[in-house]
Amino acid sequence: MAQSAAVFSIEQAEAELLETNVQEQGLELELEKLYSRATHLCQSESQNLTYIGEQHRQVPQSIKKLQDMLLQTSGVADELSGRVRKLDTICGRITEALKFVDDMLELRECADQVMKTIQNEEFEQAAKYVSRFRACQGVLPPGIDDASIRVLKQAEEQLSVIVRKRFEEAMSTKDQASISRFAKLFPSLGLSGEGVKKYLEFIRHSLAEKCAVDFKQLVTLGKRADAGPTPYAEVLTNLFVAIADIVQEHQQAVEEEFGPENFVVVVRGMLLEADVQGLRVLDKFKADNSKIFEKLGSGMRDMHELSAVLEETALLTQRTHQFDSWIRGVAAEVIELLQGDARK
């Protein structure tokens, strides 16, 4: 029995030894494969390193070639840039010469046509010719086509006289269409300031005439049975409403014909006229109620009469504040518009 166990142990050991030999052979094969792969990898990397080293040695030479190429390119670019600058200068001179020729032709055309249009009372077209002449006047060198310039200056003076005269006639007859027509010609003649001043005079005169009619109602106040409880406030309110109507009616026309900046002049003129006419109403109110104001300090007993005067005083103050707020808003809008145009 013991002998059998010993035999089994020997056989088992031999089997394990055989298995171990097989594993050893497998490991040796695996090592050979790894060694072969490592050898191949080392050879490959060695070749790569050799190639990289060769390339690295060529880098300075390549950099020098690139520097030479860049220097050459820079020289060519400088030369081309110089040629382009010369071409730009030549083109600029050609453009100036062409513009000079155009200005000369335009000047002669204006000189040839302006007198005909004035004689035919085509004042709008004549004003365009004069405006074009004024635009060219500061560009052309002195001594160029003096004959044409002399004709155009004469036409400008003649047309200015005609426009002023016709504008005055239109204002005197209150011909709104003619007023608008000739007002538009002032800017073309370089007379925007004068035109808006005359236009403002016409507006203020019209407003003063309307206010005079309303003021007469205060003069005959004691003789009228239809007088309201606050006649002075009504007249003052009519003044402010009339100014608002004028602004609404004329603002667009003034801005189109004279420019938004000149509408500020109109607003200022309306304020001056409001002061003149409004103070007339207030002075009349004070004069007509002077006895009541004098009795305030002496213990006036007629409280009904005093209450009516105080009520109208409050209403006059209220209307004045309302007008002041409105006119400030109009002025602010115009100033904002001008500032917006300036930023463009």
Side-chain angles (χ1 to χ4, degrees):
M1 189 71 178
Q3 185 178 1
S4 176
V7 172
F8 179 76
S9 298
I10 292 171
E11 291 177 353
Q12 185 178 9
E14 289 177 350
E16 291 179 356
L17 179 61
L18 181 61
E19 183 179 355
T20 301
N21 289 334
V22 171
Q23 291 178 356
E24 182 181 359
Q25 291 175 359
L27 290 173
E28 288 178 353
L29 289 173
E30 187 68 25
L31 286 172
E32 288 179 0
K33 290 180 180 179
L34 291 174
Y35 178 77
S36 176
R37 289 173 60 186
T39 302
H40 178 73
L41 182 61
C42 288
Q43 291 175 351
S44 176
E45 291 300 324
S46 177
Q47 292 175 356
N48 290 336
L49 289 173
T50 302
Y51 176 77
I52 292 172
E54 183 65 25
Q55 293 295 319
H56 181 70
R57 284 192 295 273
Q58 294 178 4
V59 167
Q61 185 178 0
S62 299
I63 291 175
K64 188 176 184 307
K65 288 181 179 180
L66 180 60
Q67 288 176 339
D68 294 340
M69 187 181 299
L70 290 175
L71 288 173
Q72 183 180 2
T73 304
S74 176
V76 173
D78 289 340
E79 183 180 355
L80 289 175
S81 178
R83 292 180 181 179
V84 170
R85 284 194 295 270
K86 289 180 181 179
L87 286 174
D88 287 341
T89 303
I90 294 172
C91 288
R93 291 174 180 173
I94 292 174
T95 302
E96 291 177 0
L98 291 174
K99 187 177 184 306
F100 177 76
V101 172
D102 289 340
D103 290 340
M104 287 294 302
L105 293 174
E106 189 173 14
L107 188 68
R108 290 181 181 177
E109 180 188 359
C110 293
D112 292 340
Q113 300 295 328
V114 66
M115 286 301 183
K116 295 178 183 178
T117 54
I118 292 176
Q119 291 173 0
N120 296 333
E121 296 193 355
E122 298 173 2
F123 300 122
E124 289 80 6
Q125 186 60 44
K128 289 181 181 179
Y129 288 137
V130 172
S131 179
R132 285 158 64 183
F133 160 64
R134 289 174 56 82
C136 296
Q137 198 171 12
V139 178
L140 296 175
I144 299 297
D145 203 350
D146 289 337
S148 297
I149 292 176
R150 187 164 49 251
V151 171
L152 286 165
K153 284 186 176 180
Q154 181 182 354
E156 181 180 2
E157 294 173 0
Q158 184 176 342
L159 185 60
S160 297
V161 172
I162 293 173
V163 169
R164 288 188 180 104
K165 181 180 178 182
R166 295 292 184 91
F167 190 70
E168 293 284 354
E169 292 174 354
M171 287 194 299
S172 62
T173 58
K174 298 181 181 179
D175 184 352
Q176 190 62 46
S178 296
I179 290 172
S180 178
R181 178 192 179 190
F182 289 101
K184 293 177 181 178
L185 303 182
F186 278 92
S188 298
L189 300 173
L191 303 173
S192 295
E194 179 182 342
V196 75
K197 182 179 178 181
K198 290 182 177 295
Y199 198 78
L200 178 58
E201 289 176 0
F202 165 71
I203 295 174
R204 289 187 64 175
H205 182 70
S206 301
L207 178 62
E209 287 183 346
K210 184 181 184 308
C211 291
V213 174
D214 292 339
F215 192 77
K216 286 181 180 179
Q217 298 178 3
L218 297 179
V219 176
T220 60
L221 189 60
K223 303 176 183 179
R224 291 171 50 230
D226 60 340
T230 55
Y232 303 93
E234 290 177 7
V235 172
L236 188 65
T237 302
N238 290 340
L239 166 64
F240 295 152
V241 170
I243 292 176
D245 290 341
I246 288 172
V247 169
Q248 184 176 3
E249 179 182 355
H250 294 276
Q251 180 173 2
Q252 183 177 357
V254 172
E255 290 180 349
E256 290 178 354
E257 294 159 11
F258 302 105
E261 66 279 1
N262 280 311
F263 185 68
V264 177
V265 179
V266 175
V267 173
R268 188 182 297 116
M270 290 294 96
L271 278 174
L272 292 175
E273 194 62 35
D275 290 342
V276 172
Q277 302 300 332
L279 286 174
R280 286 185 66 195
V281 175
L282 294 178
D283 289 342
K284 179 66 175 172
F285 174 72
K286 180 180 178 181
D288 291 350
N289 296 283
S290 58
K291 294 181 180 180
I292 297 176
F293 291 130
E294 290 172 358
K295 292 178 181 179
L296 283 176
S298 59
M300 182 177 180
R301 296 181 180 180
D302 189 352
M303 299 305 296
H304 176 73
E305 190 176 16
L306 176 61
S307 176
V309 172
L310 292 177
E311 180 181 352
E312 188 156 17
T313 302
L315 191 57
L316 288 168
T317 304
Q318 181 187 24
R319 293 289 187 266
T320 303
H321 280 297
Q322 289 174 342
F323 174 75
D324 179 73
S325 177
W326 173 80
I327 200 68
R328 286 177 183 272
V330 172
E333 289 178 1
V334 176
I335 292 173
E336 184 179 355
L337 176 62
L338 293 175
Q339 290 175 343
D341 292 340
R343 286 192 292 266
K344 291 181 180 178

